[in-house]
Every structure is written in structure tokens, then in C-alpha cells.
Amino acid sequence: MDNATTVVAMQPPAAVDEHEHVSLPQHRHHFETEEQQREAGTFGMWLFLLTEIMFFGGLFFSYLLYRNWYNPAFVAASNQLSIPLGTANTAVLITSGFFMALAVWAAEMKKKSLLVLFLVLTTLFGVVFLGVKYFEYKEKWEKHHIPGEHFDISEFVNPPRDVKTGKLVEEPLPPDMAQKTQVFFSLYFAMTGMHALHMIIGVGLLLWLIPRSQRGDFTAGYVAPIENFALYWHFVDIVWIFLFPLLYLINRHPV
Amino acid sequence: MSATSSTIVNLPDQTTATLPKRNYINAEDGMLSWLLTGDHKRIAILYLISITFFFFIGGAFAGLIRLELLTPQPDLVASDTYNKLFSMHGIVMIFLFLVPSVPATIGNFVLPIMIGAKDLAFPKINLLSWYLYWIGGLFTLAALVLGGVDTGWTFTTPLSTHYLNTHVVTAGLGVFIIGFSSIFTGLNFIVTIHRMRAPGMTWFRLPLFVWSNYAASILMVLGTPVLAITLVLVVLERTIGIGVFDPTKGGDPLLFQHLFWFYSHPAVYIMILPGMGVISEVISTFSRKRVFGYTAVAFSSVAIALFAFFVWAHHMFIMGVSNYSALVFSLLTMLVAVPSAIKVFNWSFTMQKGSVTFETPMLYAFGFLGLFTIGGMTGVFLGSLGMDIHLTETYFIVAHFHFVMVGGMLMAFLAGIHFWWPKMTGRMYPESLSKLAAVTTFIGFNLTFLPQFVLGYLGMPRRYHAYPPEFQVLNVLSTAGATVLGVGYLLPLLYLGWSLKYGAIAGNNPWQATGLEWQIQSPPLTENFIETPVVDYEAYDYEWLANKTQNEVTTVG
Ligand code: HEM
Ligand SMILES: [Cu+2]
């Protein structure tokens, strides 16, 4: 792919570069040194994450705008989300991030079986997170909280009463404000959906990294793919750390 | 082989000269070696062929639009077909031609060589970005074949999400994918410029072409993702009915405008900045002078990139933004004119102090200067609130952006292609024909678009396929101009193609320019440099070049 034939002809036969140490097989011809290659890779990854920030930035911007405009609708809609599930999922995700950090450590320490173990654990916790998301979405579907034709605002206009005390669970919203809860749910699905999509891509990458780790690709001194993937995974964690309070915990903030 | 006084072209003796035996073109044989290549120069060629293809598709639409407008009556196409024509024209020209034009072709080819690198930092991502370009391009073509889109290139909601029953989703996905191609190009450039410069190639020895592509890359990396998420939201709104922009659910169509223009205003500079880089190289070479105020020109690129993010709402003056914010955006818009003007003044000073010759690239560069200046100054009109309310959505705006993007960018692109063609192919093109093409383009361009300023001022709205009869004379002029312009664009296709086989052998440095790319053989080796060069001279140091002896040139036989 990298025009290997011509390049080989140009390089000294023993694959020893100018700095007199043996190149790893992953050293690409157009970099002067492995150090340069590693720095370029990391820098590229950070830039990519910057584009991701801008990508989510559009959503966060919309969220802040509408939350200012339609605060009562946002609070009421937010109360329909399950704080216990959200909290549990936050814990699950942070745990998977922790295992990912351990995986980087294992790769750097050249501990192959630990690396594989930690990557598998990262994957598992990632999948659990997605499973919980599935149940949350399903509940929204059943409650008719998916924006569109079947969206149901009756619960926001006539909130149910508590069975024991007979008090209203929630302040009733005037119908036009209740309509605006759709915007909250639109953003909820767009933001968590985008986040979940990033998790799915991450799990896919993990499933590709695990067999390669088993082959020992990353425990001989070449750890860049593990490190760069970890950056990605932590980024996805961090996005969630912002999403969780913004979407689930609005009510804790005095209205 | 001494140069005559009116020209600096310096070709090797044609009776003995041959192309270097080994170069990037013949390094490997077969289609597959091209389709799987990691060589930035081959990827540049792939891009060049691809964007030329799309340019002529977009051009065919333009031709049909102008034919329809030949007469006041709607006689050639129905109104909905007309809507599809200008939408596809805009989408193809912006996303498939203008955005990738200079960076992906010329930039890909010369930028790594200019900084003394063997390749871009991520060759595979570079190739991937070409494939993404084509996947996105095929989606866009599919939208066309399936029946077209009629939203205009701006995909404005709620028009695009609720009222138009055309292939918005397909086209939107196409543009989304092309966006990633552009993000990856920008990312690759930034990392390469930061990490792969040869020893001695300090930031202030970088050719200005590198600076301007660096600035454009920042815009690509920061702006394009915002467009991407906006299009995702449009597609989600159309398909599953979420309501971020939908007023019936409490969403706000104006938010779409904000997000869209947050990308699309800077996108104008994604398109024009690399072109400005070309102009700096060309003007310096054919004036035999370091660009006057090198640092100012370099920083003005970065300044344009930064300012570009703060003026988007000048596209929304009549869309319901508050008077107060309109005022602020109007002022900020004026500010962007400053760094652009700095460039134009510095180029003029460079020429005034240099010994100017008029080779073809220089003719195109002159075309750029004239047309870009008109385009830029009319932009100031549009940036001022009161004028804009009269002129927006008329042909004045059509003329304005064609002056900047077609008059400016396309001229710069052609200047660049003619400038680096000898390096890319090792051959020259016929000088008289190429000069004829440059002049034809310039005349055709003015004939096409100058009347449109008048039309717009008189009140002819854009995006209509019929108009009152009193506008016909100017429209006929414009269509006639478009025909001349079309000839101007076809000519290079013909003689550049011809030159591939029959052109004179160019040698390493036909223009006697100073850039690193001119110090290696033409066409270059796959690995660009046999030894990593050490740079010990400033950019555009013509004295250094004069002192350099011929045998220092890096070639292999
Ligand atoms: C051959 C010369 C060209 C002619 C005669 C031409 C003609 C036109 C006309 C008449 C319109 C206005 C349609 C309307 O708003 O009613 C238009 C729109 C546009 N043109 Fe061109 N064009 C040419 C070349 C180009 C090129 C080379 C580019 C870009 C590189 C370009 C970019 C655009 C864009 C972005 C629009 C806006 C489309 C929209 O309103 O959605 N044009 N063109
Ligand atoms: Cu603008």
C-alpha cells in the first residue's frame, strides 16, 4: 500500500534507520523516526477529538438555547427520565473508562494477557451501557415520548396524582408549553443517540483490537493504537459526563 | 538556454532531454496500484481527475440555467426542474468542486514537498478521504438520478424537512460524507505541517501556500463537523420526525440558519484561502521577489480563519435576527475585509518592486486580483445592513459570490494548475494556447457576471426561471458570456491533455522558482527526496537560487 517496493530500494537493507536502532515493523517509511510517528499519531487523534467536540457542540448549543427558552417544559420532560438508570449507567461507563486506562498501562508494561483482559472488560461494560440505553429508549417508546405523530402531551398537561397523598406529581403545563417537551425529547434522542453511536463504533474497534492484542501486536513497544483508542473512549465518557446532568438532573437546579 | 527579457522560462535542451526514468507515475503499474496508493502525489492526481469530472457536471447545469434565462418566458424547463438545476449546480460546485479544489489536488501534491516531507502524515487516511469524496459524490449523483433536490445548496428548513418531496436525505447524506473527506484532508495537513517539516524549515520559512492551507485546514477541522451535525438533524427530522428545527413542535428554523452558516460562511474561506496561497507563490515567482510583507500575509491567513467564525449571521439579515445582533454582525463583517485587503495590497507591492513577467500562471493571477477585488468590495456592500436588504436574494448576490468564488477561486486554481503542471507531469503546455485560454476566461467571466450586478440592482430576484421582459438584454449578454466562459474552461482540458504526450520536456525548474518542490526532479520520485533536505534559506530567496550550482539539484537518472 505504501509503495513498499520503491521504498525498500531506497532504504538500507537491514531496516536500520539513521539513529542506529532497529525499526519496529510498524515504522512507516515517510517518518524520520518512530518518535515522530508516535507524536504525529497522537496529535492527529487530538485534532480528531476537536472535530468531535465541534460536532457535539452543535447539539449542546441547541440544547442551551432551547433550555433557556422553554425551561418549564425541559424540567417536566427531564423528570420523565429515570435518574436511577442514568446514574447506574454513569457508573458503568466510568468503570469501563477505568479499565481502558488500565489497558493502556498493561500495554505499556508489555503485559499481554492483562491487556487482553482489560480490553474485554472495557467492552463488556460498554455493552452493558448500551443495553441499559435500550431499555430506556423502550420505555420512552411505550410512554409515547418519541417526538412526532404519536407524541402524547396529556401527561404534561394533566399530570397524574400521587396514589397516597393525592397531590399532583408535577406542576401542570399549559398546552403550548407542553408541546415544547418534544424539543427536549428530540434533543434527548439526538444527543444520547449520537453518544450511543460513538459507543457502538468504539465497541466495534475494541473487537478489532482484542484479537490483535492477543497476537501480541501492542505489547512489543508499539502501543500507539491502544493509546489513541483510549483517548477516543475517554472522550466518549466525557461527553456522557456532560449529558447526564444536562438531561437527567435539570430539576435539581432551582427553577 | 538563457531567458529572454520578457520571460523567465528555462527549459532543458529539447533535442536531448527526456523525462526521468524513475518517477512517481511509473513507479508501479496498473489501475490497482493507483487505487490503493499511499503516495500523496498519486492521490492528488486522482483528485484532479475527479474534481474535473464534477466541475463539468456542475458546468452543464450552469449552461442549462443560463439557456433557460435567455428568454423572459419559462420555455426551456418547468419551474420545479429549474429549482433542481440550480440546487444541483450549487451542491456540486461547492461541495464537490470548490471545497476540495486547491487543497486536495495542488495541496496534496506540493504541500509535503514544500516542507521537505516524504509524504503526508497519514497516507492511508489521505486515500480514505478520496474514497469518501467519491462515496459522497455518488450519493449526490444518486439524488440527481432519482429525481433531484430543490432546496438550493443551503438545505434550508422547514423547506427541506417538510415541504419538499425530493431526495433531500440522499443529497444530505452525500454532503455529510464529503464533509468527512474534507475534515480528514484538513487534519492531515495540520499534523503534517506541525510534525513533518524538514530540518531548518521554520514556521517563517514556510512558503505562503503552506500558511494559507494551514489556515484553511483549521476551518475545515472546526467548521465542517458543525455542518455534519446540522445535516444529521435535518435528515432525522425528515425521516423520524424529531423537532429540533420544526416550529410545530417548538423547534426553531432560525437555529438551522445559525448552525448552517456557522459552517458555510467559513466555508467561503475554506474555498478562497488555498487559492490565495497559490496567488502568493505565483506572484512571487514571476516578480522574482519575496512577497512584500511576508509575515503580514502569513498572519492575515490565520486572521481570516479566526474572523470567519464570527460573521455568519450576515447571511441572515432578512431572516429575523434582532436589529442589535444584525448591527454587530455587520460591523464584524467589515473587519474580515481587512486581512483580505492586506493580502491584495502586499501582492501589488510585490509586483511593483519586482521584475514582472507574464507567463500563463501570472495571467491567471492577474485575473484573480481583478475579479477577487470586485467580488470582495461588493461583499462590503452586502455586509452593510441597509444595502443588503435591497440587494439580497437578487442577482447582485449571485454576481458577488461568483466573482469571489469563480472569478477568484477558479482563477487561482487554474493559475496553480498551470504553475505546477510541469512539476506534476514533467511537461510544458503550449504557451500561446494557454494564454489565449486565460484571456478568454477573463473576458467570458466579466461578460457573464457584470450584467448580473446590474440585474440585481434593478431588482431581478435569484432562483426564478422567468423574469419581466425589460431584463432580457442583460440576460442575453450574461448567457453569451457564459458561452465564452465555457470555451475558456474547455481549452485547458484540451491542451493540457495534449501536453501529457507531446508537451516539451520541462526540466526540474522551468520557472526558476525557489520552493523545495522545484529543486527535485519533475515528475518527482515516489519518496520525493533521496535525502531529507536541510533548509538554510528564507522562502523566495532568489539570490540563494542564483548562487546555487546546477549539480546540487537532486535527481536520479
Ligand atoms: C460557467 C459559469 C457559471 C454560470 C453561467 C453559472 C450560473 C449560475 C446561476 C445563473 C446561478 C443562480 C441560480 C439562481 O439563484 O437563480 C448560479 C448559482 C450558483 N452557482 Fe453558478 N454558474 C457558473 C459557474 C459556477 C461555478 C464554477 C461555481 C462554483 C465553483 C458556481 C457556484 C454557484 C453556487 C454555489 C450557486 C448558488 C446555488 C443556489 O442558489 O442554491 N457557479 N450559478
Ligand atoms: Cu458569509
Side-chain angles (χ1 to χ4, degrees), chain A residues 165-236:
Chain A
T165 59
K167 274 193 194 148
L168 282 178
V169 176
E170 196 85 52
E171 286 294 307
L173 291 176
D176 63 332
M177 187 49 87
Q179 271 299 331
K180 314 288 199 271
T181 54
Q182 288 198 70
V183 176
F184 177 87
F185 285 111
S186 293
L187 285 167
Y188 166 78
F189 282 110
M191 294 169 107
T192 56
M194 270 308 144
H195 178 259
L197 184 66
H198 278 77
M199 298 274 305
I200 292 170
I201 293 171
V203 169
L205 290 171
L206 278 165
L207 293 182
W208 169 70
L209 287 171
I210 290 169
R212 287 193 60 192
S213 315
Q214 217 147 15
R215 265 198 343 237
D217 283 9
F218 309 121
T219 32
Y222 170 65
V223 291
I226 298 286
E227 283 178 343
N228 288 337
F229 177 78
L231 285 176
Y232 173 83
W233 196 254
H234 294 320
F235 171 79
V236 177

Side-chain angles (χ1 to χ4, degrees), chain A residues 91-113:
Chain A
V92 167
L93 200 57
I94 290 177
T95 314
S96 95
F98 175 66
F99 284 128
M100 193 60 226
L102 287 178
V104 174
W105 169 82
E108 272 161 4
M109 294 293 120
K110 309 195 176 169
K111 295 182 194 294
K112 192 174 94 178
S113 43

Side-chain angles (χ1 to χ4, degrees), chain A residues 81-98 122-140 188 192-193 195-196 199 233 236-245 247-249:
Chain A
L81 304 183
S82 158
I83 293 184
L85 282 185
T87 315
N89 240 359
T90 308
V92 167
L93 200 57
I94 290 177
T95 314
S96 95
F98 175 66
T122 310
T123 317
L124 274 181
F125 277 81
V127 171
V128 169
F129 180 91
L130 289 169
V132 174
K133 264 274 83 74
Y134 167 78
F135 286 107
E136 286 193 70
Y137 281 6
K138 192 159 159 255
E139 192 212 358
K140 297 286 152 315
Y188 166 78
T192 56
H195 178 259
M199 298 274 305
W233 196 254
V236 177
D237 286 359
I238 288 172
V239 170
W240 179 257
I241 299 294
F242 281 99
L243 287 183
F244 178 58
L247 294 172
Y248 289 73
L249 306 179

